[in-house]
Amino acid sequence: MKKILFLALLLIPAIAVRKGCVYVAVSLSKDPVIAQMENLYKVGVTSGKPERRIRRAEFDPTFLMAPARLLKTYTIYNADPGKVESILHAFCADVCMAGEVKDRFGKAIKPREWFVVPLEMVDAAVKRMLDGTIGEYRYDMISQAIVRRDDPSA
């Protein structure tokens, strides 16, 4: 019996262990500059619950010192959440929000997790990240689409 159990364990693929999640949020800021920005989304990662992460967003410069609403979440299995976040942020770097926000002490902070990009692109980028193919693609700002890196027409 032990031998059969041992063999069965060898044949089971890696067990999926939840490591965190990617979340996409929208700002509910009343600041006219932020409020008028179309397609402005925060792409973040947490090892905890995203609802808890955004709970006190209005006190957090990472959330532009304003409430936020979760739009989507994606569970991260068997991967380092910090690496997932770094790869996603690098992929979207060309469309990172410009500007600064003052924290509660008046210190200027440059948000690095907010991107001006269609929500469908964020969704596609996260899916490519989670399936391991993101390195084969890039974001084309002109067409506002994800294209293959080797595509000469894009």
Side-chain angles (χ1 to χ4, degrees), residues 69-147:
R69 184 177 76 239
L70 279 178
L71 298 177
K72 295 185 174 225
T73 62
Y74 309 84
T75 302
I76 299 170
Y77 294 102
N78 301 340
D80 179 319
K83 288 181 182 177
V84 169
E85 184 172 52
S86 293
I87 292 168
L88 283 172
H89 288 178
F91 186 82
C92 300
D94 290 342
V95 289
C96 187
M97 176 186 146
E100 295 180 339
V101 173
K102 296 212 187 271
D103 69 9
R104 62 185 185 191
F105 304 108
K107 181 180 174 188
I109 305 290
K110 179 170 179 6
R112 301 194 188 282
E113 297 183 350
W114 289 87
F115 303 94
V116 181
V117 64
L119 185 58
E120 299 78 28
M121 194 291 300
V122 175
D123 190 49
V126 171
K127 287 179 182 173
R128 297 227 180 269
M129 174 68 228
L130 296 177
D131 73 12
T133 63
I134 197 166
E136 300 169 25
Y137 296 87
R138 65 179 178 79
Y139 180 67
D140 181 69
M141 291 190 313
I142 296 168
S143 65
Q144 294 189 340
I146 293 178
V147 296

Side-chain angles (χ1 to χ4, degrees), residues 3-23:
K3 188 174 184 178
I4 294 171
L5 179 59
F6 179 71
L7 288 174
L9 289 173
L10 289 177
L11 298 174
I12 296 173
I15 295 172
V17 177
R18 183 189 185 281
K19 296 289 187 172
C21 78
V22 175
Y23 62 90

